[in-house]
Amino acid sequence: MFAQQADTTLLFPIELAEKEVVNSLDGHYTIELGLVKLLEGTGLYPVRSENGLSVKAIVQVDNTEKNNIVTIHNAENFFSSNEIEKIAVVGTRSAPRSVTDSPVPLDIIGVNEFTRQGSTDIVSMLATLVPSFNVNDQPINDASSLVRPANLRGMASDHTLILINGKRRHRSAAITFLGGGLSDGAQGVDISNIPASSLQQIEVLRDGAAAQYGSDAIAGVINFVLNDNDAGGTFDVRAGQYAQGDGELLQLQGNLGFTLGPNGFINISTEYKQQASTNRSVQRDDALELIEAGNEFVQSPAQIWGSPRIDYDLKFLVNMGYDLDSSNEFYSFSNLAQRKVLGGFYFRNPQTRDGVFEGLPNEQGIPTLLVADLDGVEQGISCPKVLITDANILDDQDYLLIADDSTSLGQNCFSFNEILPGGFTPQFGGTISDISWVLGLKGKSSTEWEYDLSAGLGYSEIDYQISQTVNPSLGPNTPFSFDPGLASQLEKNINLDLFKQFNIDKKYQINFATGFEWRRESYRQKMGDLASYVVGDFAFDPNTGVSQGFAVGSNGFHGYNSQSAGKWSRGNWAVYTDFEVHMSDAFLFGMAARYEDFTDFGANFDGKVSARMILNESLTLRGSVSTGFKAPTVGQSNVVNVTTAFSPGGLEDQATLAPTNPISIQLGATPLSPEESINISFGMVGEIAKQFYFTLDYFNIELHDRISTTSALHLSQDDINTLVSEGITEASSYGSAKFFTNDFDTTTQGIDAVVNYETYLFNIPSRFMFTYNWTDTKVDRVTLYSRMKADGTTYLESNLTPQRIQMIEDNLPAHRGSVSVVQAYNNLSSNIRLNFYAGFYEDHLDAAAGLNIYTGSEVTLDLDISYQLNANFKLSAGAKNLFDNRPDRNPYSGNAGALYAATSPLGINGGLYYLRALYEF
């Protein structure tokens, strides 16, 4: 019956078909995908050959040498993977597509490809397999350490739209205040909350798609397709550690499929992971100086650079569907995840950290120790002025006077050196909670219109924690652990998608889609505990109005106070239309348009044109031109955050503010507007033989009015005085401020190449894959602002430092590539991957302080070897970065103790070795 409806010829032995009961099939499918769905779970599988489509049985062969049973078809599906290609739904509203017949660049990654590697989170897995997808370690970067930003095609992390089963995924609550240049200020999606065991495949659309999917789809779209098996399951255990002997890892994964009544399924996935922290540090120069001067209280190392500790990382995902009748299906999927992460901050030197240990210099310019007069300035016993003249204040006679609590002076005068003689290094982390739920109804009407109606809810929350630090303004009464508050993101979506296929005069086939989307999103910052933000008496004495110079708030990450706490929301709605015309068997033409209206900044219209031309049996040309946009997020428009960061003068408290904040306005901020892009891509697909294909694509993305944070802008005393006179008293606590702005334009261009070849090597079935990416970004324009010198003359200056611009242009390696070989012989299989990374630039510590790092290229080797013990049980051993290659050593490691450049694309931890046991049933 299927062959008749599809008007095609199927070859199969009747005696095999009589033994199997195939699945029911309803909907719109390509012939290949229809066969895959029809035969899924049976003992049959489809094969395309020169003679057409045929159906074969999964054969078991007795291997007398090994004296066991080997399942040929299940051993990595060699030579059937390309004959019946993986099918994707992303990038088209009509029939699903394969890699080779898509008019735009498309990667389809099967579950075996992304689980057979050392990486254990989906972000790193994708970075290994997709050469234009980049992610690096974030050892000391505030919220970025908890939710790592990733980049596709040289864009920021929120320039890629994330879908699950074709439905928009909500953003993370984390805004990357310190994003390493490229992603500074981005608020992307935290895809690490998706358990890998829940996935069937990942579809990566490397093309602008805002006209189809809306805001954020500038660099492309990643769609995570969930497992829909209704029987069987897997249990996966993985353990590992780094070559240096740290970062111990334990990961447990499970998946179970069940039938749901007579016509439905439910598929449940879970994952648990814990991982110890790593240490890639050397002792800081200033800490060594303290130790050599006799300070015995300094830790070694004083500050740790490495991956944060993951106390637990727990994920659940449930995917279900139920056929209401032959034409309509109810579906739902939900995801619940929570993890607790703890990392570190910068070392607070006990003699130079201002606002905690160091006060104002005396008349001769000699720095002084910051001493609190507990009974008030000029209100009783006076405290001596302690001059900092050497590297060990602890043996200074004046300091010993205030440290002696047996005297009245010692009891009245307080310095933090008394309780933190070796300085301190705050520990920063948080609990990240995430939940989402989508339910919908899809099917086909009596008029042949296919529909998909869905509603979705997504929530992300980060409850920050900071410890081993102080609120200096509270003096000796300060706690050492704080709850600085939480940030959350809530999104609600309703979608209606309609599709129908038309045939005009039996000559043109038109696939027409249209739809409607409504979305509402809210961003919230909740106040921290009182001690995390309160202005203590030693920052401002209400009785005298005098400040003793101590900093305010939990040092390292200021708690959210009543001015920074709040909830902000916006809504938007959109309509789209999308159609494809098969002008002939060889030529496909597509157009898409989308109108979207936002309550906070107005409307946007985008369009896209794409085409595919089959030149012959071996070569196809394809290309697209589109416009795109990214709306400023609610968080970017309203956030207030204070953190400690490096500056040319050392550590200082930096505020990241909304553009509407009075401090931002004082520095020249204006309200945000959407980013707008023009995307061009063209390329070719070659299918030289059934076991050999390649794709080669060029892309060019012009991005105007790009949203990011400014570089840290110094607040002059005149600025502070003006703001304080207007009632903005917190301005006196900040050394500098950053704000969100549309301040520059960029052009990003590049080339993506993928080559796939399957053959026999020494009579062993082998699959070779070569991937390559070249990406180049140039900052075309920056907004210049008028500044005034001390002598009253004015000059023009950008809000972005030259180092920040170079980070945007050169922080990612311009060239990345990999060559992998997958082989299977009897019970043994292997996956070998050689990775190449070109050099890159890093403004070390994001300080614009002349700490410029230029690294060389690097090569790493990954290895995974598996042995199939029986039909259900498999053991694997492997290594990510087998030979423990490390980045070039940081020439400025003494400044803050970082042994390597923190943004290295190959990471800072070196080789990871692991064992894995997989049970399938």
Side-chain angles (χ1 to χ4, degrees):
M1 183 179 294
F2 175 82
Q4 293 175 349
Q5 292 178 353
D7 192 23
T8 190
T9 300
L10 279 178
L11 303 176
F12 57 90
I14 190 66
E15 63 276 7
L16 290 177
E18 288 177 339
K19 298 177 181 178
E20 302 288 348
V21 177
V22 298
N23 306 304
S24 62
L25 189 67
D26 181 73
H28 186 87
Y29 300 92
T30 62
I31 296 174
E32 287 88 348
L33 181 60
L35 269 177
V36 170
K37 290 288 187 181
L38 199 69
L39 301 176
E40 188 175 36
T42 71
L44 306 174
Y45 68 99
V47 173
R48 179 180 287 280
S49 64
E50 296 179 356
N51 298 321
L53 283 166
S54 59
V55 176
K56 295 186 178 181
I58 298 173
V59 182
Q60 289 189 327
V61 179
D62 180 34
N63 186 327
T64 54
E65 290 185 3
K66 299 294 183 180
N67 194 31
N68 57 22
I69 303 296
V70 181
T71 305
I72 299 296
H73 179 63
N74 287 339
E76 300 299 329
N77 293 326
F78 279 95
F79 306 131
S80 65
S81 63
N82 282 342
E83 292 164 352
I84 298 299
E85 296 174 293
K86 301 184 185 78
I87 305 298
V89 297
V90 70
T92 178
R93 302 283 185 177
S94 58
R97 292 273 162 68
S98 68
V99 169
T100 53
D101 67 7
S102 172
V104 291
L106 178 65
D107 298 312
I108 305 176
I109 304 168
V111 63
N112 285 331
E113 295 175 70
F114 62 80
T115 55
R116 293 196 57 179
Q117 55 170 296
S119 301
T120 56
D121 64 281
I122 291 178
V123 180
S124 299
M125 291 176 182
L126 279 172
T128 300
L129 297 170
V130 180
S132 60
F133 189 86
N134 292 272
V135 66
N136 50 42
D137 294 324
Q138 300 284 337
I140 302 179
N141 253 358
D142 280 7
S144 302
S145 299
L146 310 181
V147 181
R148 294 189 301 159
N151 317 100
L152 181 66
R153 282 190 159 180
M155 299 282 100
S157 59
D158 53 4
H159 288 141
T160 301
L161 178 63
I162 305 298
L163 307 175
I164 296 185
N165 274 2
K167 306 302 178 183
R168 177 183 284 264
R169 177 76 170 182
H170 61 280
R171 300 180 190 279
S172 167
I175 299 176
T176 54
F177 304 112
L178 300 172
L182 183 62
S183 285
D184 281 352
Q187 187 183 2
V189 174
D190 184 5
I191 63 177
S192 63
N193 289 317
I194 306 169
S197 59
S198 69
L199 297 177
Q200 179 175 298
Q201 65 184 35
I202 301 176
E203 305 162 358
V204 183
L205 175 67
R206 294 178 277 110
D207 193 52
Q212 297 161 292
Y213 297 103
S215 176
D216 305 350
I218 288 178
V221 181
I222 302 178
N223 184 36
F224 294 89
V225 182
L226 300 179
N227 193 336
D228 58 2
N229 288 340
D230 62 359
T234 62
F235 182 70
D236 192 340
V237 180
R238 185 190 300 249
Q241 71 173 27
Y242 287 101
Q244 194 160 310
D246 57 8
E248 295 88 348
L249 161 75
L250 174 65
Q251 184 181 48
L252 308 175
Q253 297 183 91
N255 175 266
L256 284 173
F258 305 93
T259 57
L260 185 63
N263 301 312
F265 75 91
I266 182 168
N267 190 277
I268 302 173
S269 303
T270 186
E271 179 180 319
Y272 172 82
K273 183 174 79 171
Q274 63 182 38
Q275 188 164 17
S277 60
T278 63
N279 182 351
R280 302 296 177 265
S281 314
V282 295
Q283 186 62 288
R284 294 166 50 120
D285 289 344
D286 60 345
L288 284 172
E289 185 181 5
L290 291 166
I291 294 170
E292 291 169 358
N295 190 324
E296 300 175 352
F297 301 96
V298 180
Q299 296 294 316
S300 182
Q303 173 184 321
I304 293 178
W305 288 84
S307 298
R309 185 181 81 221
I310 301 174
D311 288 339
Y312 63 85
D313 186 357
L314 188 59
K315 310 167 190 176
F316 295 96
L317 194 144
V318 178
N319 184 31
M320 61 174 293
Y322 192 87
D323 292 333
L324 302 176
D325 53 38
S326 60
S327 301
N328 300 282
E329 176 191 359
F330 169 80
Y331 62 88
S332 174
F333 53 90
S334 55
N335 182 200
L336 176 64
Q338 187 177 83
R339 68 180 181 275
K340 186 175 183 180
V341 182
L342 181 67
F345 270 175
Y346 294 113
F347 170 62
R348 271 61 172 167
N349 187 299
Q351 299 192 180
T352 62
R353 179 63 172 106
D354 66 333
V356 185
F357 297 106
E358 183 183 0
L360 296 174
N362 68 0
E363 294 80 2
Q364 289 75 41
I366 300 174
T368 64
L369 191 69
L370 192 55
V371 178
D373 192 331
L374 301 185
D375 63 7
V377 177
E378 300 179 356
Q379 300 295 315
I381 300 175
S382 297
C383 297
K385 184 168 287 189
V386 182
L387 300 181
I388 303 176
T389 57
D390 59 26
N392 188 9
I393 196 70
L394 301 180
D395 59 10
D396 184 275
Q397 291 302 314
D398 289 329
Y399 169 76
L400 292 174
L401 290 175
I402 68 169
D404 185 359
D405 289 340
S406 65
T407 68
S408 298
L409 186 147
Q411 293 170 10
N412 179 62
C413 302
F414 169 78
S415 166
F416 275 103
N417 301 73
E418 297 179 54
I419 56 176
L420 298 167
F424 64 98
T425 304
Q427 298 298 291
F428 175 76
T431 302
I432 301 99
S433 303
D434 198 280
I435 186 169
S436 64
W437 183 32
V438 173
L439 56 87
L441 189 67
K442 63 182 179 180
K444 182 184 291 186
S445 70
S446 58
T447 57
E448 298 300 311
W449 277 94
E450 296 181 26
Y451 70 92
D452 187 341
L453 176 64
S454 65
L457 177 71
Y459 179 76
S460 170
E461 177 187 285
I462 303 180
D463 189 357
Y464 295 110
Q465 299 291 326
I466 188 166
S467 61
Q468 299 181 32
T469 187
V470 296
N471 180 340
S473 70
L474 296 176
N477 297 318
T478 180
F480 297 97
S481 296
F482 302 86
D483 176 6
L486 63 80
S488 66
Q489 175 83 7
L490 174 66
E491 296 184 24
K492 305 169 186 176
N493 293 272
I494 296 176
N495 289 85
L496 174 62
D497 300 311
L498 301 171
F499 169 78
K500 188 173 183 179
Q501 186 178 94
F502 298 90
N503 293 296
I504 302 177
D505 297 330
K506 296 184 179 180
K507 183 177 182 181
Y508 302 118
Q509 176 184 310
I510 298 178
N511 298 326
F512 177 77
T514 187
F516 169 84
E517 180 178 10
W518 173 88
R519 186 164 76 253
R520 185 166 182 82
E521 53 185 309
S522 301
Y523 177 78
R524 180 173 70 114
Q525 290 187 163
K526 181 183 176 183
M527 290 176 62
D529 60 40
L530 181 64
S532 71
Y533 65 81
V534 68
V535 180
D537 290 346
F538 303 105
F540 179 79
D541 187 340
N543 297 315
T544 63
V546 174
S547 171
Q548 296 193 35
F550 285 84
V552 175
S554 45
N555 195 260
F557 194 88
H558 196 291
Y560 297 133
N561 58 20
S562 58
Q563 287 77 38
S564 57
K567 181 179 180 181
W568 305 271
S569 301
R570 73 141 178 249
N572 71 287
W573 60 270
V575 291
Y576 77 87
T577 184
D578 183 351
F579 72 88
E580 295 175 341
V581 183
H582 291 266
M583 308 294 290
S584 67
D585 291 340
F587 186 69
L588 172 67
F589 176 77
M591 289 186 67
R594 186 182 184 96
Y595 177 84
E596 196 147 359
D597 188 88
F598 292 79
T599 57
D600 53 355
F601 63 80
N604 192 281
F605 180 83
D606 284 295
K608 180 173 182 176
V609 176
S610 61
R612 186 201 68 202
M613 169 66 77
I614 300 175
L615 300 181
N616 52 47
E617 292 183 355
S618 302
L619 192 63
T620 300
L621 300 181
R622 62 187 182 186
S624 70
V625 178
S626 64
T627 61
F629 79 106
K630 191 193 84 67
T633 71
V634 182
Q636 290 171 333
S637 297
N638 298 280
V639 70
V640 177
N641 183 76
V642 182
T643 188
T644 302
F646 256 89
S647 72
L651 287 182
E652 68 175 12
D653 290 336
Q654 292 180 358
T656 302
L657 306 170
T660 54
N661 186 283
I663 298 175
S664 303
I665 295 172
Q666 177 70 23
L667 293 171
T670 57
L672 293 177
S673 60
E675 300 174 322
E676 296 185 350
S677 69
I678 300 174
N679 296 52
I680 300 172
S681 71
F682 58 84
M684 64 178 67
V685 179
E687 200 165 4
I688 310 305
K690 292 300 179 184
Q691 280 77 43
F692 178 79
Y693 77 84
F694 72 88
T695 63
L696 179 64
D697 296 279
Y698 168 82
F699 63 90
N700 186 292
I701 305 171
E702 293 184 9
L703 189 54
H704 302 282
D705 298 325
R706 192 160 171 173
I707 298 172
S708 183
T709 54
T710 65
S711 298
L713 304 176
H714 176 67
L715 279 167
S716 68
Q717 193 59 49
D718 288 342
D719 289 328
I720 293 172
N721 293 340
T722 299
L723 290 162
V724 171
S725 68
E726 296 173 355
I728 316 299
T729 56
E730 64 266 24
S732 62
S733 302
Y734 308 150
S736 62
K738 302 187 291 183
F739 56 85
F740 288 89
T741 180
N742 301 87
D743 257 6
F744 62 108
D745 302 339
T746 60
T747 297
T748 300
Q749 62 176 337
I751 292 174
D752 289 319
V754 177
V755 179
N756 193 89
Y757 179 56
E758 295 182 351
T759 186
Y760 283 90
L761 183 66
F762 304 115
N763 207 32
I764 299 174
S766 307
R767 181 187 304 130
F768 295 83
M769 178 171 283
F770 166 76
T771 63
Y772 167 77
N773 169 259
W774 165 67
T775 298
D776 176 74
T777 296
K778 297 297 181 187
V779 176
D780 304 320
R781 178 198 65 83
V782 294
T783 302
L784 299 178
Y785 296 86
S786 179
R787 312 287 194 204
M788 183 175 291
K789 296 181 180 178
D791 60 6
T793 60
T794 60
Y795 65 100
L796 295 177
E797 184 180 51
S798 167
N799 281 336
L800 302 178
T801 64
Q803 293 89 343
R804 174 71 183 284
I805 291 173
Q806 191 169 0
M807 284 286 285
I808 293 169
E809 294 183 334
D810 299 327
N811 183 234
L812 295 180
H815 304 274
R816 271 194 61 193
S818 69
V819 178
S820 60
V821 183
V822 181
Q823 295 180 300
Y825 181 73
N826 291 335
N827 295 52
L828 197 65
S829 61
S830 66
N831 185 1
I832 303 172
R833 181 182 295 105
L834 186 69
N835 309 289
F836 170 79
Y837 307 90
F840 67 96
Y841 163 80
E842 177 178 295
D843 172 27
H844 189 50
L845 307 178
D846 289 324
L851 309 180
N852 299 314
I853 299 176
Y854 298 90
T855 73
S857 58
E858 300 287 352
V859 175
T860 64
L861 183 69
D862 301 337
L863 174 66
D864 184 283
I865 297 176
S866 299
Y867 184 79
Q868 192 79 37
L869 290 175
N870 54 46
N872 303 104
F873 195 64
K874 181 168 69 175
L875 293 176
S876 301
K880 182 178 176 64
N881 191 354
L882 177 66
F883 298 112
D884 191 29
N885 188 21
R886 308 286 181 91
D888 293 344
R889 183 162 180 140
N890 174 17
Y892 308 106
S893 59
N895 286 64
L899 189 56
Y900 309 111
T903 58
S904 170
L906 61 92
I908 64 174
N909 288 312
L912 173 69
Y913 308 116
Y914 62 91
L915 294 173
R916 180 187 179 205
L918 175 66
Y919 181 74
E920 296 181 278
F921 55 94

